[in-house]
């Protein structure tokens, strides 16, 4: 007897949010099992990947495809249970047959095993058909593994055989990949970057774990493989050396204008395959891994994952962005303290250099710290190791025409010094003075007897070479180099707007977002999800300027648009509704704000995991409304969401910092000044470390700290801090223009202190 159909009234067919891919992992695992069962004859090609390894690779592919303009994930749910999903792309048609200008590509369609045979696959396929035709496709391309019963399903819907994909085990004949030739990289519009200094030096006789890439396409990269702590052999290389070479080779094959997120996804896919090749367990804390910094002249940016030094020169001024990693700082301090104890107890420096007992103390943590890789939290850090790298750990550093030199250096050097000679002199002086590395520059390891240094080191310096004068190009205008330049430039302008917003430069962010939104509207993209995303971010900039009514208008459009395109419980819809509640509340309409916030929380509970960032943001919005209206249960609600934010996103995440700010305000209003003071001291320090000391939110936290110091009787300290904060705020306002909203708040808060 066939399964009974699920009532249509309980089914929800909707677009799946791109930031919640991991919710699809269990269904992908079912599809993998189905493939293995359907095609046992393919076993001679090799073993089937584990579900986790396979998902990490597929997840990276999904993330890359989702950057395309017409890629979409469609899901079918029964109430809150996910029953199936389909991934469809619409791309330009190619090949021998005239299939129209565009063709739909069905990358995945899967229904959970206990829901098959109930018409859900048909509904998803119909939705895929509708999406493809809406974007100009007249044909849908479907790949089905040989032996899969899904072939009959698609045939019943009119699919016909088109090509046969054959897999031929190699080698058939020897194949080699040519190594990249050293060259300087061109920039759009003329000019180029040339390498004027470069060196890679191993720390000793062991295989070097650093790699340097200077590629034909223009990319220049320093890759630092992690020091091996496993003792394993990877074909004559350590794990770090093997990972570094994998990253280098993947970068060498990349297009010169590959965006940072796509580049990281491609590297992650390559490293995931490397882990499979060497049978590295999915939860191995000492898996092969590497850090990297990459100059991308075609996009005028540097991206970095992990601890590689970066420096840029404008005229005579160097901006240095040294490598930092909090867990290494903590462990280096622990090792130094223990080593000092050993010296005080009578151990000679020669004995310590030979055995390094301090490193033995921290070695268990060094071997386990890989579990913190690519995870949020106070000790989390970004690394390239074959697991997905969160966006927060991919640092993007844009540069303009005023940048004349760029330096990349692995952390075998102490800093990104302006010249190689300076970098070497700085390093050798430090080693001569402190070979154990327990003094001014403590490290997790010292210089071993007979070694030249404590780590491999790589340094490269690039200088902009003269090129043809660039014609001024208005923002958003199409570039002459390629027809797709308009979309690419818009993406870059949007990225710059995001960076300006994060840096507190609200005036620049406002201008950029306004331009991006306007161009999208004029080009017919208004109402699309990318347009709504830009409009949402522009609304947040309006918040930063205190323009609550403008923010509200934009967010109402975002909520309505996302409800229609993605559904009422999609993450983006929930997040926009939570922020709309805040905008309405800031205008004094508290009853309406509470209704919106509670609706956002209800939708999050209906459609999102409890740990999803937008679900937490909705709870925080409700806590904010309760705090502003004096609800009796405010503290309980606020402490609960603040604790969950710290646990899930980390104590220094921006949303967690916002929750701690609300808690401090609540304690102050209740005149619990000592408790509030403790919270605000940490908050001011963490905002300075996360946002920067000049960010308006940091300055606001310093103003709050001054007020609390005044309340508890520390008048002199309060007055000094108030004066310095006012001076800093005035300077930031003069430089950035429209930090006026925050500057006025700060002046109001500190008026009583400074006037006295």
């Amino acid at each position: 007897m066939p399964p009974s159909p699920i009532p249509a009234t309980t089914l929800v067919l909707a677009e799946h949010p791109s930031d919640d891919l991991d919710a699809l992992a269990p269904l992908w695992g079912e599809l993998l099992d189905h493939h293995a069962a359907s095609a046992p004859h393919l076993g001679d090609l090799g073993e089937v990947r584990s579900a986790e390894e396979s998902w990490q690779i597929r997840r990276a592919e999904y993330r890359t495809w989702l950057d395309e303009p017409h890629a979409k994930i469609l899901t079918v749910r029964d109430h809150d249970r996910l029953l199936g999903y389909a991934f469809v792309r619409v791309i330009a048609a190619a090949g021998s047959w005239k299939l129209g200008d565009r063709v739909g590509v069905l990358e995945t369609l899967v229904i959970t095993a206990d829901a098959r045979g109930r018409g859900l696959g048909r509904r998803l396929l119909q939705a895929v058909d509708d999406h493809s035709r809406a974007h100009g496709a007249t044909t849908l391309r479907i790949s089905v593994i040989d032996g899969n019963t899904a072939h009959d399903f698609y045939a019943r819907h009119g699919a016909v055989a088109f090509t046969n994909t054959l897999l031929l085990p190699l080698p058939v004949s020897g194949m080699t990949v040519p190594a990249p030739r050293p060259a300087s990289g061109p920039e759009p519009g003329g000019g180029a970057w040339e390498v004027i200094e470069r060196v890679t030096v191993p720390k000793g006789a062991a295989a070097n774990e650093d790699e340097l890439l200077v590629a034909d396409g223009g990319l220049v990269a320093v890759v630092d493989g992690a020091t091996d702590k496993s003792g394993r052999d990877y074909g004559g290389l350590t794990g770090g050396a093997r990972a570094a070479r994998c990253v280098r080779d993947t970068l060498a094959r990349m297009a010169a204008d590959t965006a940072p997120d796509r580049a990281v996804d491609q590297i992650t896919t390559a490293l995931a395959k490397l882990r499979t090749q060497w049978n590295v367990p999915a939860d191995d804390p000492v898996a092969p891994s590497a850090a990297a910094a990459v100059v991308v002249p075609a996009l005028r940016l540097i991206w970095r994952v992990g601890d590689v030094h970066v420096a840029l020169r404008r005229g005579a001024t160097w901006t240095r962005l040294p490598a930092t990693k909090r867990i290494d700082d903590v462990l280096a301090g622990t090792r130094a303290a223990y080593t000092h104890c050993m010296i005080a107890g009578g151990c000679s420096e020669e004995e310590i250099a030979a055995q390094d007992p301090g490193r033995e103390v921290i070695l268990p943590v060094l071997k386990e710290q890989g579990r913190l890789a690519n995870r949020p939290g106070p000790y989390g850090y970004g690394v390239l190791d074959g697991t997905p790298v969160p966006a927060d750990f991919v640092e993007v550093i844009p540069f303009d025409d005023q940048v004349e030199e760029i330096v990349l250096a692995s952390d075998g050097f102490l800093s990104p010094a302006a010249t190689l000679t300076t970098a070497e002199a700085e390093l050798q002086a430090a080693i001569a003075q402190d070979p154990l590395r327990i003094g001014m520059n403590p490290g997790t390891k010292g210089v071993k007897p007979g070694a030249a240094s404590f780590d491999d080191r790589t340094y490269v310096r690039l200088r902009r070479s003269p090129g043809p004068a660039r014609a001024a190009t208005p923002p958003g205008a199409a570039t002459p180099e390629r027809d797709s330049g308009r979309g690419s430039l818009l993406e870059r302008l949007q990225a710059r707007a995001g960076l300006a917003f994060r840096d507190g430069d609200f005036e620049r962010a406002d201008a950029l977002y306004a331009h991006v939104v306007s161009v999208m509207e004029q080009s017919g993209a208004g109402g699309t999800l990318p347009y709504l995303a830009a409009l949402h971010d522009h609304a947040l900039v309006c918040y930063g300027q205190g323009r609550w009514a403008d923010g509200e208008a934009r967010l109402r459009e975002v909520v309505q648009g996302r409800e229609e395109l993605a559904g009422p419980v999609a993450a983006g819809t929930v997040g926009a509704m939570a922020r709309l509640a805040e905008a309405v509340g800031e205008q004094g309409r508290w009853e309406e704000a509470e209704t919106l916030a509670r609706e956002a929380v209800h939708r999050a509970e209906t459609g999102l995991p409890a740990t999803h960032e937008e679900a937490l943001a909705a709870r925080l919005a409700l806590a904010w409304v309760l705090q502003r209206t004096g609800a009796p249960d405010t503290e309980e609600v606020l402490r609960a969401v603040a604790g969950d934010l710290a646990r899930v996103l980390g104590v220094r995440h921006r949303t967690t910092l916002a929750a701690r700010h609300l808690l401090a305000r609540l304690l102050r209003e209740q005149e619990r000044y000592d408790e509030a003071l403790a919270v605000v001291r940490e908050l001011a320090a963490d905002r300075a470390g996360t946002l920067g000391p000049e960010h308006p939110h940091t300055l606001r936290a310093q103003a709050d700290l001054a007020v609390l110091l005044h309340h508890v009787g520390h008048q002199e300290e309060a007055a000094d801090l108030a004066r310095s904060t006012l001076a800093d705020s005035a300077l930031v306002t003069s430089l950035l223009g429209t930090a006026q909203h925050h500057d006025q708040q700060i002046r109001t808060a500190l008026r009583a202190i400074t006037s006295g």
Side-chain angles (χ1 to χ4, degrees):
M1 184 174 181
S4 59
I6 300 172
T9 55
T10 68
L11 290 175
V12 176
L13 188 65
E15 182 175 354
H16 188 72
S18 61
D19 57 357
D20 191 23
L21 291 179
D22 286 331
L24 309 177
L27 279 170
W28 175 259
E30 286 196 35
L31 182 62
L32 187 71
D33 292 341
H34 181 65
H35 284 166
S38 301
H41 58 288
L42 298 181
D44 291 341
L45 293 172
E47 296 181 3
V48 177
R49 298 184 191 277
S50 71
E52 183 173 358
E53 292 169 343
S54 177
W55 171 245
Q56 296 302 339
I57 294 170
R58 193 60 165 183
R59 185 184 189 277
E61 291 175 329
Y62 282 169
R63 284 190 61 190
T64 299
W65 292 332
L66 283 169
D67 285 337
E68 298 173 2
H70 304 308
K72 192 172 190 177
I73 305 172
L74 296 159
T75 59
V76 60
R77 294 176 180 270
D78 181 19
H79 297 293
D80 61 347
R81 185 184 170 217
L82 181 62
L83 300 178
Y85 78 92
F87 193 112
V88 59
R89 307 157 60 207
V90 181
I91 63 174
S96 305
W97 299 85
K98 293 183 178 181
L99 302 176
D101 293 331
R102 305 186 70 78
V103 62
V105 182
L106 182 60
E107 297 290 356
T108 309
L109 191 151
V110 56
I111 302 295
T112 190
D114 61 355
R116 291 174 192 156
R118 301 183 178 185
L120 303 185
R122 175 181 55 78
R123 296 190 189 195
L124 274 179
L125 187 61
Q126 181 62 55
V128 166
D129 177 278
D130 293 342
H131 174 76
S132 301
R133 287 189 292 108
H135 293 288
T138 57
T139 307
L140 184 65
R141 191 176 75 201
I142 308 166
S143 296
V144 182
I145 199 167
D146 186 39
N148 191 347
T149 54
H151 184 281
D152 297 334
F153 165 77
Y154 294 118
R156 289 197 301 273
H157 288 83
V160 296
F162 182 55
T163 64
N164 289 325
T165 300
L166 305 179
L167 295 180
L168 176 62
L170 300 176
V172 174
S173 60
M175 296 177 62
T176 58
V177 178
R181 298 187 305 276
S184 60
E187 272 197 274
W193 288 87
E194 57 180 339
V195 174
I196 57 175
E197 288 190 303
R198 56 187 287 178
V199 70
T200 296
V201 183
K203 59 179 172 285
N208 193 2
E209 290 169 332
D210 278 6
E211 292 290 344
L212 172 64
L213 169 71
V214 181
D216 280 346
L219 298 181
V220 176
V222 166
V223 186
D224 183 7
T227 300
D228 183 71
K229 306 170 192 73
S230 69
R232 299 183 195 134
D233 180 86
Y234 292 87
L237 297 174
T238 66
R242 180 63 67 186
R245 293 190 182 189
C246 179
V247 174
R248 177 203 64 189
D249 294 343
T250 305
L251 286 167
R253 294 190 293 268
M254 247 175 230
D257 60 351
T258 302
D261 55 344
R262 294 189 184 186
V264 172
D265 282 344
Q266 290 181 36
I267 291 169
T268 296
T269 300
L271 287 169
K273 293 178 180 178
L274 177 71
R275 292 172 73 133
T276 300
Q277 175 186 351
W278 293 97
N279 299 314
V280 179
D283 61 348
D284 191 339
V286 288
S289 63
V294 184
V295 181
V296 190
L299 300 181
R300 298 187 188 180
L301 59 81
I302 303 161
W303 64 261
R304 171 168 68 177
V305 175
D307 44 353
V308 176
H309 301 302
V310 176
L312 307 93
R313 180 176 67 81
R314 292 178 175 86
T317 303
W318 279 93
T319 300
R320 290 179 172 80
L321 304 167
T324 58
K325 188 173 169 188
R326 186 178 182 188
I327 190 168
D328 281 355
D329 293 342
V330 171
L331 294 178
T334 302
R335 173 182 168 271
Y338 186 84
T339 304
H340 280 291
C341 290
M342 293 297 97
I343 293 173
C347 284
S348 68
E349 292 195 10
E350 291 74 17
E351 292 175 309
I352 290 172
Q355 299 177 6
D356 203 345
R359 185 170 175 82
E360 291 299 317
V361 169
I362 65 172
L363 190 57
V365 183
L366 289 171
K367 289 182 176 180
E368 293 294 326
Q369 73 175 32
R371 302 189 190 281
L372 303 174
N374 297 327
R375 292 180 179 273
Y379 297 104
Y381 60 93
V383 72
L384 301 166
D385 67 351
T387 65
V389 183
D392 286 350
F393 290 133
V394 182
E395 184 180 2
V396 178
I397 306 161
F399 57 84
D400 52 28
D401 290 346
Q402 279 66 53
V403 172
E404 299 175 36
E405 290 188 0
I406 296 173
V407 167
L408 306 181
S410 65
D411 65 352
F413 286 102
L414 299 182
S415 72
T419 68
L420 177 57
T421 300
T422 304
E424 283 287 355
E426 178 184 72
L427 176 65
Q428 296 308 320
I431 290 175
Q433 183 178 356
D434 180 24
L436 298 180
R437 300 189 72 217
I438 59 172
M440 291 294 295
N441 297 288
T444 57
K445 55 194 171 188
V447 180
K448 293 183 177 180
S453 185
F454 55 84
D455 202 357
D456 308 314
R457 59 193 188 276
T458 296
Y459 179 101
V460 61
R461 179 158 65 111
L462 297 81
R463 178 177 294 161
R464 189 191 296 275
S465 58
R470 296 187 181 89
T473 304
T479 60
E481 288 82 8
R482 54 183 181 178
D483 293 340
S484 61
R486 187 180 188 84
S488 177
L489 179 56
L490 271 181
E491 292 172 1
R492 295 204 296 274
L493 288 176
Q494 195 166 350
R496 291 178 186 176
L499 288 171
F501 174 67
R502 287 192 290 274
D503 289 341
D505 190 349
F506 301 123
E507 182 176 19
R508 177 172 170 78
D510 183 30
L512 287 169
Y513 276 128
H515 183 74
V516 168
V517 168
S518 175
V519 171
M520 284 183 160
E521 289 174 337
Q522 294 170 14
S523 64
T528 63
L529 284 174
Y531 167 83
L532 295 173
L535 197 63
H536 173 273
D537 291 344
H538 195 193
L540 300 187
V541 174
C542 294
Y543 280 21
Q545 297 174 307
R547 295 161 48 204
W548 310 114
D550 289 344
E552 178 189 352
R554 286 164 174 77
L555 285 168
R556 287 197 182 278
E557 183 179 347
V558 172
V559 170
Q560 182 179 352
R562 284 181 171 171
E563 283 177 336
E564 295 173 357
L565 295 176
V569 298
T573 311
V574 171
M577 179 167 282
R579 291 168 183 91
L580 176 59
E582 296 167 356
V584 169
E586 287 286 2
Q587 298 172 78
R589 289 150 41 208
W590 293 109
E591 184 175 347
E592 182 184 354
E594 183 173 350
T595 299
L596 286 166
R598 290 193 182 280
E599 176 63 17
V601 171
H602 171 69
R603 293 187 182 191
E605 291 172 346
T606 302
L608 298 177
T611 56
H612 194 287
E613 184 171 352
E614 296 296 7
L616 294 169
R619 289 171 55 198
L620 181 60
L622 178 59
W624 175 79
V625 173
L626 295 176
Q627 186 265 332
R628 294 296 294 270
T629 56
D633 59 342
T634 299
E635 184 171 354
E636 179 183 354
V637 174
L638 183 53
R639 285 191 182 276
V641 70
D644 288 344
L645 283 164
R647 178 175 55 83
V648 175
L649 302 179
V651 294
R652 297 180 72 176
H653 190 278
R654 286 169 179 260
T655 311
T656 309
L657 294 175
R660 292 162 62 191
H661 171 75
L662 287 183
L663 178 60
R665 177 190 288 180
L666 177 66
L667 294 171
R668 177 181 160 187
E669 289 173 351
Q670 296 175 352
E671 299 184 1
R672 294 154 63 183
Y673 296 127
D674 288 334
E675 293 177 68
L677 182 62
V679 174
V680 173
R681 277 195 190 278
E682 290 188 359
L683 178 63
D686 286 345
R687 276 187 167 170
T690 301
L691 307 176
E694 73 288 346
H695 195 284
H697 291 172
T698 303
L699 296 173
R700 178 58 193 273
Q702 288 180 194
D704 291 344
L705 178 58
V707 170
L708 287 166
L709 289 168
H710 180 72
H711 274 299
V712 298
H714 297 180
Q715 308 299 349
E716 186 175 348
E717 184 181 358
D720 289 345
L721 182 57
R723 281 190 289 269
S724 66
T725 301
L726 284 170
D728 290 345
S729 181
L731 177 59
V732 169
T733 298
S734 69
L735 293 174
L736 301 185
T738 52
Q740 297 292 346
H741 165 62
H742 293 280
D743 187 58
Q744 290 167 4
Q745 288 183 326
I746 289 168
R747 291 185 179 280
T748 299
L750 298 180
R751 187 174 295 124
I753 302 174
T754 54
S755 62

